[in-house]
């Protein structure tokens, strides 16, 4: 039986990483599986490699890459930057709308069930028959959860692993969020979920050190300004500011995230980051006073 799901991904200048992903999908292709790639402006051999391997490819160019205006930059910096630190965005900066691009890749599919991967990932376990069986067993099923290996030690052993969900029924779920995007229930959609064990499905990430992450901070700034109620992006925005040399702006945003009283794990992590900031900046008394 052919797979009841399709693989969808977005890519830009991923010629180096794609062959590793495709190698992990050979059996999926042999079984009649379809892989859809939305290319967002590659200037290398990404499109050539994808088509030669057998992907369905759509080239959309730069349509999901946007430019920050002076008005946007002024408002965002006034809202988030403190202590005369560097602006988080400037007029003319570019940011990428990941959710819109991912939803475009999904529109290429012919099946309802979509497994989203990135070019720097590999499927190290994919039991097609078992996944087909689970899909057929529950018409209310909306998405799968599974263990995702985010990083590895130099010898290849797993370092960071957590539960992820990018495998879903597109009639019930969709991508939302400019950056740090998430699969979210559509209006009137949603349904049950199923946890796939590692004997059925396993996705592993191998970071390309050459990948340009400069747009990550900008996208988070835009998203947090436009949707200030989003607790998860607040946490990741604060973290990115801390890692990019804006400690007091990061501290302000970490405090705001903690005060939202949302997901305990990320709230606790924000508190730990606050401790790191106050310690590194030589102001432990502020940490004690705040707590």
């Amino acid at each position: 039986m052919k797979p009841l799901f399709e693989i969808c991904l977005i890519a830009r200048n991923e010629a180096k990483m794609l062959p590793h992903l495709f190698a992990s999908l050979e059996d999926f292709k042999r079984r009649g599986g379809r892989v859809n790639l939305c290319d967002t402006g590659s200037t290398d051999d990404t499109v050539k490699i994808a088509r030669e391997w057998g992907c369905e490819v759509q080239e959309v160019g730069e349509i999901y890459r946007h430019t920050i205006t002076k008005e946007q930059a002024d408002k965002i910096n006034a809202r988030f930057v403190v202590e005369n630190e560097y602006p988080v965005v400037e007029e003319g900066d570019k940011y990428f709308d990941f959710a819109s691009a991912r939803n475009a890749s999904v529109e290429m599919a012919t099946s309802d069930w979509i497994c989203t991967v990135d070019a720097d990932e590999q499927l190290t376990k994919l039991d097609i028959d078992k996944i087909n069986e689970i899909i057929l067993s529950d018409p209310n099923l909306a998405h799968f959860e599974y263990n995702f290996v985010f990083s590895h030690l130099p010898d290849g052993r797993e370092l960071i692993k957590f539960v992820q969900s990018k495998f879903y029924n597109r009639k019930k779920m969709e991508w939302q969020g400019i950056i740090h995007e998430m699969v979210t229930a559509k209006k009137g959609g949603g349904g049950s979920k199923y946890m796939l064990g590692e004997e059925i499905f396993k996705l592993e990430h191998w970071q390309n050190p050459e990948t340009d992450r400069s747009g990550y901070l900008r996208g988070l700034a835009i998203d947090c300004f436009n949707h200030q109620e989003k607790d998860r992006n607040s946490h990741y925005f604060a973290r990115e500011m801390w890692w990019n040399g804006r400690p007091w702006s990061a501290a302000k945003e970490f405090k705001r995230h903690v005060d939202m009283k949302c997901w305990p794990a990320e709230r606790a992590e924000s508190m730990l980051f606050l401790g790191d900031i106050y310690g590194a900046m030589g102001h432990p008394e502020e940490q004690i006073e705040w707590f």
Side-chain angles (χ1 to χ4, degrees):
M1 184 178 184
K2 68 179 294 186
L4 297 177
F5 57 94
E6 297 180 27
I7 306 293
C8 291
L9 70 154
I10 59 175
R12 183 173 187 268
N13 293 336
E14 293 288 0
K16 179 178 179 179
M17 304 304 291
L18 277 176
H20 304 286
L21 168 64
F22 291 157
S24 74
L25 292 172
E26 287 292 345
D27 185 58
F28 177 80
K29 183 175 72 168
R30 183 184 59 79
R31 293 275 300 266
R34 175 178 166 123
V35 179
N36 307 284
L37 186 149
C38 179
D39 185 84
T40 62
S42 292
T43 56
D44 65 2
D45 287 336
T46 292
V47 170
K48 179 176 181 288
I49 290 169
R51 286 198 170 121
E52 287 181 350
W53 184 81
C55 279
E56 298 294 325
V57 178
Q58 182 179 47
E59 298 177 71
V60 299
E62 300 281 331
I63 65 172
Y64 299 114
R65 201 169 305 277
H66 304 292
T67 303
I68 296 173
T69 66
K70 183 179 187 306
E71 181 182 9
Q72 286 176 310
D74 290 345
K75 288 181 177 179
I76 290 169
N77 291 323
R79 173 67 181 80
F80 295 116
V81 178
V82 299
E83 297 288 332
N84 296 315
E85 291 182 337
Y86 293 113
V88 291
V89 294
E90 295 182 357
E91 179 185 6
D93 281 348
K94 306 283 188 180
Y95 68 94
F96 188 78
D97 183 348
F98 279 89
S100 294
R102 291 198 188 280
N103 286 329
S105 74
V106 172
E107 287 300 314
M108 298 171 61
T110 60
S111 304
D112 291 335
W113 275 91
I114 305 299
C115 175
T116 304
V117 299
D118 286 332
D120 56 0
E121 296 172 350
Q122 297 173 39
L123 278 159
T124 52
K125 182 63 181 179
L126 182 62
D127 188 332
I128 296 169
D129 293 327
K130 183 61 178 178
I131 293 171
N132 283 351
E133 177 187 324
I134 297 167
I135 288 173
L136 292 172
S137 70
D138 183 3
N140 190 48
L141 186 62
H143 64 108
F144 290 120
E145 292 184 340
Y146 49 87
N147 284 331
F148 173 62
V149 182
F150 177 73
S151 62
H152 301 77
L153 292 166
D155 63 5
R157 288 179 296 160
E158 297 170 5
L159 178 61
I160 298 174
K161 180 164 64 176
F162 51 82
V163 174
Q164 189 182 67
S165 177
K166 300 195 299 184
F167 196 160
Y168 64 99
N169 185 327
R170 64 172 170 167
K171 288 186 174 179
K172 301 173 185 291
M173 313 285 284
E174 65 182 356
W175 287 96
Q176 294 181 13
I178 291 173
I179 202 160
H180 197 64
E181 66 283 8
M182 295 178 63
V183 174
T184 308
K186 289 184 173 181
K187 186 175 182 180
S192 60
K193 64 182 178 181
Y194 187 100
M195 180 68 187
L196 297 173
E198 291 188 9
E199 75 282 0
I200 301 173
F201 184 93
K202 191 172 183 181
L203 186 64
E204 302 193 47
H205 174 244
W206 301 87
Q207 179 70 50
N208 180 2
E210 299 171 7
T211 299
D212 180 10
R213 297 183 73 253
S214 61
Y216 194 59
L217 177 62
R218 303 165 196 160
L220 284 169
I222 290 282
D223 209 37
C224 283
F225 184 80
N226 292 338
H227 303 282
Q228 297 186 28
E229 77 286 354
K230 286 187 177 181
D231 61 290
R232 298 205 71 199
N233 275 1
S234 171
H235 170 77
Y236 289 105
F237 179 40
R239 189 178 70 176
E240 203 71 14
M241 286 194 288
W242 168 225
W243 288 347
N244 283 274
R246 298 168 178 85
W248 296 122
S249 300
K252 176 185 175 183
E253 190 63 17
F254 277 129
K255 288 180 183 179
R256 188 174 80 87
H257 176 256
V258 170
D259 289 340
M260 291 182 188
K261 296 183 170 62
C262 292
W263 191 27
E266 284 182 347
R267 187 168 183 251
E269 194 172 58
S270 285
M271 293 180 183
L272 291 173
F273 275 119
L274 276 167
D276 290 342
I277 291 170
Y278 290 136
M281 303 306 291
H283 292 271
E285 70 282 354
E286 292 192 34
Q287 178 184 3
I288 295 168
E289 180 182 345
W290 185 72
F291 283 102

